């Protein structure tokens, strides 16, 4: 009766980086997309607020100049 050959258990060789699946890379890319979208939303709000403040500063400066002219003359 023949005995089966013993199998040698060798450690697996690591796969090259281009073949190895990288779930952390996929997770980070998804997070990057979410963060970019959130930034775009905030930038829209920030631009709107900035222009509103800019208009108000112009109105105040115009009123101050008009008051100064009326005070002088």
């Amino acid at each position: 009766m023949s005995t089966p050959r013993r199998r040698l258990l060798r450690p697996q060789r690591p796969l090259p980086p281009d073949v190895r699946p990288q779930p952390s890379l996929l997770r980070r890319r998804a997070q990057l997309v979410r963060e970019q979208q959130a930034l775009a939303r905030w930038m829209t709000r920030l631009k709107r607020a900035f222009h509103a403040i800019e208009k108000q500063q112009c109105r105040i400066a115009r009123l101050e100049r008009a008051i100064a002219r009326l005070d002088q003359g």
Side-chain angles (χ1 to χ4, degrees):
M1 185 184 223
S2 65
T3 60
R5 289 181 64 167
R6 286 189 306 163
R7 275 184 27 190
L8 288 177
L9 297 176
R10 293 191 175 109
Q12 291 183 349
R13 275 190 255 152
L15 293 173
D18 56 339
V19 177
R20 188 180 324 151
Q22 295 181 348
S24 63
L25 180 62
L26 297 175
R27 239 186 354 262
R28 295 232 171 130
R29 282 188 178 149
Q31 184 179 3
L32 174 63
V33 168
R34 284 194 307 271
E35 293 293 333
Q36 286 172 335
Q37 290 171 346
L39 177 63
R41 284 192 303 271
W42 277 108
M43 287 302 292
T44 302
R45 293 177 186 178
L46 179 63
K47 281 189 268 184
R48 190 178 305 132
F50 176 80
H51 290 302
I53 289 172
E54 196 175 36
K55 284 169 75 173
Q56 197 161 11
Q57 282 179 332
C58 287
R59 276 190 231 128
I60 290 172
R62 193 178 314 119
L63 285 170
E64 287 173 343
R65 282 194 305 269
I67 291 172
R69 264 195 318 263
L70 291 173
D71 282 344
Q72 288 178 356

